[in-house]
Structure formats: structure tokens, C-alpha cells
Amino acid sequence: MIQGRIQNFLVIGFVALFFVYLFGPLIVMGLTAFNTSGFPRVSPWECFTVEWFDVLMEDTRLVTGVRNSLLIGIGVVILAVPIGLAGALMLMQIGPRLRPWLYTVTIAPILVPGVVLGISTLLFWDRIGLMFGAGEDTIFYDGIFLTIVGQATFISAYAMLIFIARLQRFDPALEEAALDLGASHTQTFRKILLPFLRPAIGSAAVLAFLASFENYNTTIFTIVSSSTLTTVLASKVRYGIDPSISALAVSIVFLTLVGAVLYEISKRRETRRARAQMAVARGEATEVKKQRPFLTEPAFILFVLIVVAGLGTVYFSGTVGVEECKIIVKEQRQAEIKRKVERRQQQQMFQSAVDAQSESSSDQEETQEDSKVTAKGTEGYQSVFSPGNLQGEVETEAEEEEPVKGTEGYLNVFSPGNLVNPSSDEPDEEKPVKGTEGYQNVFAPENLTDQVPAENSGN
Amino acid sequence: MSADVKLESVWIRFGDFIAARDVNLHIKGGEFFTILGPSGCGKTTLLRAVSGFLTPSEGSVLIGGENMAGIGPNRRPTALIFQNLALFPLMTIWENITFSLEVNGVRKAQRKKRADELLELIALPGQGEKMVSELSGGQKQRVAIARALCAQPEVLLLDEPLSALDLKLRQHMRTELRSIQQQVGITFIYITHDQGEALTMSDHVAVMREGIIEQVSDGTTIYDEPDTAFVASFVGENNRFAGKVANVTDGIAQVSTPEGSIRARCSKNPDSNVKTGDDVYVFVRPESLRFVSGNSIDNQMKASVYHEEFEGNMWQVFLDISSTRKRVKMSYVNDGSIRSQSGEKDLPVGFSSDAAIVLPQGPLAAE
Ligand SMILES: Nc1ncnc2c1ncn2[C@@H]1O[C@H](COP(=O)(O)OP(=O)(O)OP(=O)(O)O)[C@@H](O)[C@H]1O
Ligand SMILES: [Mg+2]
């Protein structure tokens, strides 16, 4: 009993771990696409935004890369699927003695490293170009053409494997039946074999496209002076990235999910239909009900509604109030800077106090004391060692110069001492402390409406 | 329209294996011709040679007097109903049926009309829009027949089309096939290893063994006058006595067997003649064996009943011949004259010499 429960627990734990391993990075990356932070990260979370999608659309290099990737993908599908089909058909036709050899030859490009394929494609077409005396601007040196040809060498082998798997389930008697009924070989191919292969053609096309889209190691050689999504991304990673890359990832994941769900819906339709047909064949039902068109399928409509609602919500919450939020975050950060500056000043003061210890003023002694004993009025320093401060320090060094008029109050925001009235004879708190209490609840929602516009106009 | 089919000295080899040896057949136009034989004897192979899916290694196939050498299956006036039907799963019933018209460019409206006519013929009216997977086994069978008929072949080749069906449906389809054949009047070449089917439907039956045609004849002749020991043992049930011919007079052979001397008639086929000293088999049908009293019959022996089965109209009695303990089977109609014989010993049984046939020893059908 207990053992079984432990076992269950372990299994669930393992599965959870597995999914975290699989999807954790993806989810984190997805979140970074919606953070206003200039570097893709989740923590500290600043503001929810969709602005990175705008940045993405305005990044011409990336957009060109995506466009090229799409072009190449389509080219590869057009080239690799027929080649794969032809290869599979030939493999099924030839004698059993030749088959293993031919199979090995056609499958070889999958086993050859992509880098080698890329280089050899480049060299090969360069030779051919030279043979024709073609110039640099001809097709032999065109990155898109070369990439299509180079990728197709191994992607057509993938396509072939898919077709072989499907063809193995083909009943050759169907072909014979068609011939017997007077169909020519071409008609037999078109009316019998091709419809049978249609699902495989679909899968092969999708696979070919995806394999092409994500390919890097062949492409990097064959793309020459143009760029694809993968090469742009690679260079971006090298020279610094911003969350627009995450935004791109989110878009791709989203499109994939939509595709998967639509596929699942249509597959379920199919299964339902097949089951109904079985029932009829067994004599349990009299006829198969006509299925409603796909666009009125309840599951489909529901899915569209969810997607639209989801997109709407994300768009709305990612555009409305973002600027206000950013200002608050900025102010918070400035407050931290200010506090840091003050700390430095104080340290300097402390230093000078140590230097001139002989003529020490009582005030400074008091300060020295304060740094050891938690005395009244020094609560503001307590938060100096919180990790957030370090981050602020590193990142916003440049902004330190900005004058931060009137933000001193934020210093003590986190200290419980705020609840008590700070003593006014503190040396660093020279400014009138009037109204400091108001900052205590900076994170209270009402601040958004009241204080921020006031600050705004003040600046 | 119907055409005759001639196979002239046809040999078919697969490597070293010989699937047809010197097959000579003449199938007349409009006849229902059955090829009967055990599994693997080469029936399908022969049919594929007629429909054009394989070329004989030697010999020729003629349809309607025309040599078919070099003519592909799509240009022969034949239609084949495959052993597994081979209906097109991605097409509706009516599209299946009229596929032969579609590839000839016939318009859809016309095709639909023809499909409706054929659906009527196979008693599936109004089912044209269904998919193949929505039909029962027997319905698929009929669709396959309609699809073949739609091509308006001069010769229809049927490769065990009923083998997948249960007994009831099979019997029903048999009569249906026969009536369709009489209706359309084309040549049917029908393959089966079910002899009931062969004898029921055919004008002529060819019995085949390991690529050899053993005998071609009408059903009653095949049953009553087998030419070879194989045909005698394959078609119907037969009791077999092995022995040596002592002498032959007036078409009656005296055969000495371990069970005693048996008198049996010789085959009418000169190829199957026997002479004194030959090793032979004597075949006696169970229904020719009977209990006897007195000396009213040529061949008599003593036997004990060790098992009997009552089938209502028939008794099936299994006997041990007393002298050699050889087992034989006897069937007789239950006319009420004889009750159960269970456990009876040394009963006199016998058969007339007319009801027994003597044939040269040769290969036998598997028990
Ligand atoms: N393509 C082939 N290559 C080699 N041998 C073959 C081939 N086709 C058939 N054979 C052999 O020829 C023999 C006859 O086969 P065939 O299919 O004609 O049998 P059949 O009489 O139709 O049997 P069944 O009643 O089981 O359908 C079999 O022994 C089979 O192994
Ligand atoms: Mg067969």
C-alpha cells in the first residue's frame, strides 16, 4: 500500500521533473518576451509589455532573415519532396539484391555532417559556375539557391524515409486492380498511389520545411552573403541580444501550438468518422452522418475564441499602462541610485571622520556608533545589503549622474523604521522630511493613480 | 460479348520453381469455368497469366483467338476480381464501380447512371455514396463484382472471391454469382479450393495439382469418373484400397488387396487404363458402401463399427475392416430402416463393382 504510494509519488515527481526539463527553458524564454527589461530576463520583473514584438517587427535584419528562411523552406519543400518520393518509389520497385545498396546511398546525406554538405555544395556549384564562366551575381553564387540545393540533399532523404514507411503499407493489388480496369500507368499513379500517399506528402512537406527552417550548420556555408533566421540569430547572440528574440520565439511557439491544435481537431474528426463507418460495416448503424464543415466544428470555434481572447488580453495588458509602470520602475531605480550615492557620500564622510578622529565631532561619532548599533534614525541603511541594490548598482551606473531631485524619500522604503518618525537631526537627512511617510506604501495600487502624475508634472 | 480463352502449352517458372507445367486449356466463350485445386497449386498464377500480370515462361495465352503476348493487363478484355478484392479504399462505392469508365474519360453524369444500374444488379441500390469501409464483407464482394462488370470484360476472372465469407453468405453469393453470369453471359473463370463451390456453379471444372491440370470435365464426371488417383482423392470423400491388378476382363479389374480380392470397373479414360500386374488404388465412395445380406453384391467384407455420427437425414458410420483393421467410412440416408449400429462387430458390408473405380497409383491429395 504505502510502497505503492511512494512509487506513485516518485513516478509523478519524475514526470514533473521531465516536463520542467523539457519546457522550463521555453517558459522562461516566453516570459522574458513580455518584460520591459532591456535584457531578456524574468527577474527582476519590471513591466508587462508587448513592445518587444514591435521591436521585432522593426528589426530589418531579422525580418529579412525570416523572409529568407521562409523562401528557402518553401524551395526545399518543392525540391526535396518530389526527390524523396521518386527515391522511395524506386526503392520499392527494384530487386531485393540492389535495394540495400541504393538505400544506403540515398540515406548517406543524413549521416554526413551538415557542415560537410554545406562546404561541398558551395565548392561544387562554384566549380560549375567557373565552368560556365558565371559571375558573382549569378545563381551559382546566390545564397538562397545554394542553401535550397544544399539542404535538399539531406532533407530529401528524410522525405524518402517517410514515403517508404507509407509505401510499405500500400497494397500493390490496388495498383494491379486499376491497371486491370484499363487505367494507364500514369492514371494509376495519379488516381491510386498519389491519393494514398497524400498524408505522407503532407508530413514530408512539414518535416522538410521545419528541417530547413531550423538548419544552421549547412546554411551557414551556403548562404554566402545573405542571411536566414538562424544565421541572424547566431550573430545576434554573439553581439548581444534583447528580448525581441524571445518575442520571436514566442511567436514561433504560438504558431506551432495553433497548428498542432488544428491538426488534433481534424484528426479527431477523422477518428470519429472512421468509428461511425465501422459501426455501419458491423451493422450497428444504418448510415454515417454527414459531418459538418470544419469551420463550424464546435472545437474549432472554441479554439478560435480562446486564441482571440488570449491575444486580446495579452495585447491590452501589454500596451495599456506600460508607460506609467515604466516610470514607476524608473523612479524606483533612481531612488536606489540616490540611496547608493548617499551611502557613498556617507562613507566618505565617515572616512574623513576617521581621518580627523582627533577633532571628531559628536555627530560623526554618533554616526560611527550608528553603523554598529542599530540606533534610531539609521534604519535607512539596513537595506543596503539587499541583493537588489547590487543589481541596481551594476546596471545603472551610467544614470547615476542624473540629478534625482526629491526622491530621497524612497531610501527607507523597505525599512520598518519608517513607521516611526525619523529624527530630524540626522546629518544626511538635510532635506526636510516632510511627506516622507507618503512613500512608505509605494507599492500600494492607489499610488499609480495619485502620485505618479504628480511626480510627472513635477519633472 | 464473350470470348474464349486458350492456354497452349503454358509453362510458368519462378526461378527453379515451376508454378505451371505444360498447361493446355480451352475455355469456351460464355461458360462458367472453374479451376479447383489445393492451396499453392498454381491457380492464382494461372489467372495472372490470363489477365496479363505475368508472362508465361513458355507457351501462349489466347483470348478471343488473339495472342495476348506483349499486351498489358490494361489492354486485355479481362477483368480480375482479386483474392482480397482490392477495392479502392479512398473512393466511394460508386467511384469504385465506375473506375474503368473514369479512366476512359466518361462524364460524371453518365458514370453515376451506370453505377446506379450496377448497384441495382448487385442488390445494393442507393448505397453508392458510402465508403468501402462502411460495407460488410459480402457487400464488398458484390461491389468488387460490379466494378469488374462495369469494365465490360469479355472474360471475368474470379480469384476465390468467396473465400473470406462465412458459410451462409457464401452459399448465397454462389447462387447470385451464377445468376449474374447467366444474366450478362460472359466467360467466367473462377478459382476456388472449395469443391462444393466448383461442382455447384461450373459448366466445366479443371482440377489442378502442383502446376499440372489433372482433369477437365463437367462436375458429375469429375465426381463419378475421376481420371487420376489425385482427382479421386481430392474431390469428395473416397475410401481407398491399395492393391495389384490380377486380371482385367470387360472393363472390370480383379484387384488383390490386403482386404481380399476386389472387383472394380476401370476408368473410361484410356490414359488411366490398367493392366495385369499394375499397382493400383480402388476408390469407393462412402455412399456406395452399404450393409449387405446374402451374396447380392460382388465385394463383401466384415467390419466393426467404431464410431457413428447422426446428421438427421444421413448416418455417417466409421468402420474397421475386421481382417486388416483398415478404417473406412460409410454414409447412408436415414430412411428409418436402420437404427444405431454402435459397437456392432463383424457386420457384413460391401459395394458393387460398378460403384468402385480402379486407377493407377499416383500422388494423392493431402488428407
Ligand atoms: N512471384 C512469385 N515468386 C515465386 N514463387 C511464386 C510467386 N508467385 C507464386 N509463387 C509460387 O507459386 C505457387 C503457386 O502459387 P499460387 O498463388 O498460384 O497458388 P494458389 O493455387 O492460388 O494458392 P491459394 O489457393 O493458396 O491461393 C506457390 O507455391 C507459390 O509459392
Ligand atoms: Mg490464390
Side-chain angles (χ1 to χ4, degrees):
Chain A
M1 235 348 239
I2 287 173
Q3 204 181 358
R5 209 170 299 160
I6 290 174
Q7 210 166 14
N8 270 354
F9 184 75
L10 284 178
V11 167
I12 291 170
F14 176 75
V15 169
L17 210 62
F18 180 73
F19 278 106
V20 167
Y21 171 72
L22 270 189
F23 297 115
L26 220 57
I27 290 168
V28 169
M29 182 163 199
L31 289 178
T32 62
F34 297 100
N35 193 355
T36 46
S37 165
F39 185 81
R41 62 176 160 206
V42 178
S43 151
W45 185 261
E46 294 179 5
C47 302
F48 186 86
T49 179
V50 292
E51 67 191 18
W52 296 116
F53 290 86
D54 295 334
V55 174
L56 174 69
M57 296 315 291
E58 280 152 21
D59 185 336
T60 47
R61 232 156 64 81
L62 207 59
V63 171
T64 313
V66 170
R67 204 204 61 206
N68 283 348
S69 282
L70 290 176
L71 261 178
I72 290 168
I74 291 167
V76 166
V77 167
I78 290 172
L79 192 61
V81 170
I83 292 178
L85 179 57
L89 288 175
M90 186 165 67
L91 268 179
M92 300 308 281
Q93 303 268 323
I94 63 166
R97 200 138 6 121
L98 265 175
R99 194 172 300 156
W101 293 102
L102 190 66
Y103 183 80
T104 313
V105 169
T106 46
I107 231 67
I110 294 182
L111 308 175
V112 173
V115 178
V116 175
L117 288 180
I119 296 172
S120 52
T121 304
L122 199 62
L123 291 180
F124 177 75
W125 289 96
D126 175 55
R127 290 293 111 178
I128 293 196
L130 279 179
M131 246 166 63
F132 289 104
E136 294 279 309
D137 54 347
T138 53
I139 196 164
F140 302 107
Y141 300 95
D142 180 52
I144 295 194
F145 168 75
L146 289 179
T147 307
I148 290 175
V149 175
Q151 289 183 350
T153 52
F154 70 96
I155 292 178
S156 55
Y158 288 147
M160 189 185 77
L161 289 180
I162 294 180
F163 285 124
I164 287 178
R166 180 80 180 156
L167 278 174
Q168 272 165 350
R169 282 192 291 147
F170 182 68
D171 179 6
L174 292 182
E175 234 172 2
E176 292 190 338
L179 282 177
D180 191 60
L181 292 166
S184 67
H185 285 274
T186 330
Q187 282 172 325
T188 306
F189 179 75
R190 231 185 47 234
K191 290 179 189 290
I192 307 298
L193 194 58
L194 222 46
F196 174 80
L197 286 176
R198 191 170 298 146
I201 291 174
S203 331
V206 169
L207 186 103
F209 183 82
L210 292 180
S212 160
F213 200 77
E214 58 121 48
N215 182 269
Y216 178 73
N217 42 11
T218 302
T219 310
I220 191 69
F221 291 100
T222 54
I223 198 66
V224 199
S225 58
S226 336
S227 56
T228 67
L229 175 63
T230 48
T231 61
V232 171
L233 284 184
S235 67
K236 257 187 189 291
V237 169
R238 223 168 293 146
Y239 299 116
I241 50 174
D242 66 34
S244 64
I245 287 187
S246 307
L248 180 68
V250 168
S251 313
I252 292 175
V253 168
F254 174 74
L255 289 179
T256 313
L257 275 180
V258 168
V261 170
L262 290 183
Y263 176 76
E264 186 61 30
I265 291 176
S266 77
K267 213 175 72 179
R268 294 211 171 172
R269 266 164 72 87
E270 210 108 297
T271 326
R272 238 176 304 146
R273 184 176 172 80
R275 214 174 296 143
Q277 286 176 346
M278 291 289 286
V280 170
R282 279 198 307 266
E284 287 164 12
T286 47
E287 64 179 315
V288 177
K289 266 197 231 127
K290 272 260 175 294
Q291 280 182 314
R292 53 175 92 220
F294 188 79
L295 290 182
T296 63
E297 186 78 18
F300 175 74
I301 294 172
L302 187 69
F303 177 64
V304 169
L305 286 180
I306 290 174
V307 166
V308 168
L311 283 181
T313 312
V314 168
Y315 179 77
F316 186 75
S317 52
T319 42
V320 175
V322 174
E323 289 311 313
E324 288 80 346
C325 169
K326 271 188 184 168
I327 287 163
I328 293 179
V329 169
K330 195 172 166 191
E331 280 166 356
Q332 251 172 287
R333 197 185 290 162
Q334 284 168 342
E336 271 166 30
I337 292 159
K338 177 78 181 173
R339 193 176 52 196
K340 209 168 54 197
V341 169
E342 278 166 4
R343 200 190 64 188
R344 280 212 191 141
Q345 284 173 350
Q346 213 168 38
Q347 266 172 347
Q348 278 166 2
M349 268 154 63
F350 176 66
Q351 203 59 42
S352 52
V354 171
D355 289 346
Q357 209 163 22
S358 50
E359 33 179 319
S360 62
S361 81
S362 62
D363 270 3
Q364 272 153 357
E365 255 172 6
E366 205 180 310
T367 314
Q368 194 186 357
E369 208 108 59
D370 281 352
S371 61
K372 290 166 194 157
V373 188
T374 322
K376 198 170 80 180
T378 42
E379 296 90 335
Y381 296 112
Q382 286 174 346
S383 49
V384 154
F385 297 105
S386 78
N389 290 342
L390 289 173
Q391 225 150 12
E393 191 173 354
V394 173
E395 209 212 25
T396 54
E397 211 79 59
E399 297 171 53
E400 276 183 41
E401 259 65 37
E402 281 176 34
V404 194
K405 199 172 79 188
T407 41
E408 300 91 331
Y410 288 113
L411 273 177
N412 310 332
V413 150
F414 295 106
S415 77
N418 283 342
L419 296 171
V420 192
N421 258 348
S423 64
S424 47
D425 57 346
E426 272 302 308
D428 26 359
E429 302 213 320
E430 285 150 358
K431 301 260 156 117
V433 204
K434 195 176 85 188
T436 316
E437 297 89 336
Y439 295 120
Q440 286 169 358
N441 35 1
V442 155
F443 294 108
E446 54 269 22
N447 287 346
L448 285 173
T449 48
D450 286 338
Q451 264 180 333
V452 170
E455 289 284 338
N456 239 351
S457 55
N459 280 357
Chain B
M1 267 287 276
S2 66
D4 66 329
V5 177
K6 256 191 191 149
L7 301 182
E8 292 178 344
S9 328
V10 167
W11 290 72
I12 297 168
R13 295 191 184 88
F14 298 113
D16 291 339
F17 182 80
I18 300 176
R21 288 167 200 266
D22 194 24
V23 172
N24 286 286
L25 281 179
H26 185 196
I27 299 152
K28 293 192 198 68
E31 99 173 306
F32 197 120
F33 188 90
T34 300
I35 302 175
L36 179 64
S39 183
C41 71
K43 306 180 296 287
T44 300
T45 306
L46 220 50
L47 219 53
R48 290 172 65 79
V50 173
S51 57
F53 290 116
L54 62 86
T55 315
S57 315
E58 280 173 47
S60 45
V61 176
L62 294 93
I63 300 176
E66 201 181 329
N67 195 328
M68 288 288 126
I71 297 180
N74 47 359
R75 282 162 49 227
R76 294 194 184 192
T78 58
L80 175 60
I81 296 174
F82 287 78
Q83 203 157 358
N84 63 357
L85 302 182
L87 293 176
F88 306 128
L90 301 177
M91 299 183 192
T92 61
I93 300 307
W94 80 266
E95 283 171 329
N96 256 285
I97 290 178
T98 57
F99 184 78
S100 54
L101 302 179
E102 189 189 341
V103 297
N104 281 323
V106 176
R107 289 182 178 287
K108 188 171 172 182
Q110 217 171 327
R111 279 189 278 139
K112 271 214 139 120
K113 198 164 144 270
R114 181 82 184 114
D116 286 342
E117 287 168 19
L118 282 162
L119 283 168
E120 201 74 46
L121 177 75
I122 58 171
L124 286 175
Q127 314 248 27
E129 291 298 337
K130 283 188 176 177
M131 297 300 287
V132 174
S133 51
E134 292 171 47
L135 294 188
S136 72
Q139 292 172 329
K140 283 183 195 162
Q141 203 91 62
R142 283 181 272 172
V143 171
I145 293 167
R147 184 179 70 173
L149 289 176
C150 185
Q152 296 197 301
E154 292 173 32
V155 181
L156 188 63
L157 310 167
L158 303 97
D159 192 352
E160 303 197 35
L162 308 185
S163 58
L165 305 186
D166 63 55
L167 186 69
K168 198 99 183 221
L169 197 55
R170 196 137 119 196
Q171 286 168 340
H172 171 72
M173 285 304 295
R174 266 183 209 165
T175 46
E176 210 150 319
L177 263 185
R178 187 66 172 140
S179 74
I180 287 174
Q181 195 259 341
Q182 278 158 353
Q183 230 171 308
V184 294
I186 58 176
T187 314
F188 271 44
I189 304 182
Y190 187 92
I191 281 189
T192 180
H193 54 228
D194 177 327
Q195 9 185 310
E197 231 165 83
L199 301 177
T200 313
M201 300 197 286
S202 327
D203 298 317
H204 282 103
V205 179
V207 180
M208 214 177 159
R209 172 186 66 86
E210 291 177 11
I212 300 167
I213 302 289
E214 293 260 326
Q215 185 174 4
V216 183
S217 211
D218 58 87
T220 45
T221 311
I222 292 279
Y223 192 82
D224 292 335
E225 306 285 344
D227 282 348
T228 66
F230 176 80
V231 175
S233 58
F234 183 67
V235 180
E237 284 178 290
N238 246 329
N239 296 303
R240 186 179 77 242
F241 300 93
K244 230 181 191 40
V245 179
N247 64 69
V248 185
T249 40
D250 297 337
I252 301 287
Q254 188 82 33
V255 182
S256 49
T257 70
E259 288 77 29
S261 184
I262 296 176
R263 280 166 59 77
R265 71 192 161 88
C266 295
S267 167
K268 289 180 183 126
N269 186 334
D271 290 344
S272 311
N273 255 337
V274 294
K275 56 187 188 304
T276 309
D278 281 357
D279 288 323
V280 294
Y281 291 126
V282 175
F283 290 99
V284 185
R285 297 272 179 207
E287 60 269 25
S288 302
L289 210 57
R290 61 195 55 161
F291 296 112
V292 292
S293 46
N295 285 338
S296 58
I297 215 157
D298 318 18
N299 302 299
Q300 290 199 14
M301 44 193 78
K302 289 256 168 23
S304 314
V305 175
Y306 78 90
H307 178 64
E308 60 182 4
E309 287 167 6
F310 177 62
E311 291 176 354
N313 61 334
M314 299 286 286
W315 281 99
Q316 309 289 355
V317 186
F318 297 85
L319 304 158
D320 276 336
I321 304 287
S322 302
S323 54
T324 58
R325 314 215 53 82
K326 183 182 175 62
R327 298 216 156 150
V328 294
K329 182 182 174 187
M330 176 197 285
S331 322
Y332 57 89
V333 175
N334 175 26
D335 57 1
S337 60
I338 312 171
R339 293 285 158 211
S340 173
Q341 310 277 332
S342 188
E344 297 276 352
K345 297 258 185 269
D346 295 332
L347 294 167
V349 298
F351 51 93
S352 80
S353 54
D354 283 342
I357 187 162
V358 59
L359 291 166
Q361 284 194 4
L364 297 167
E367 292 288 316

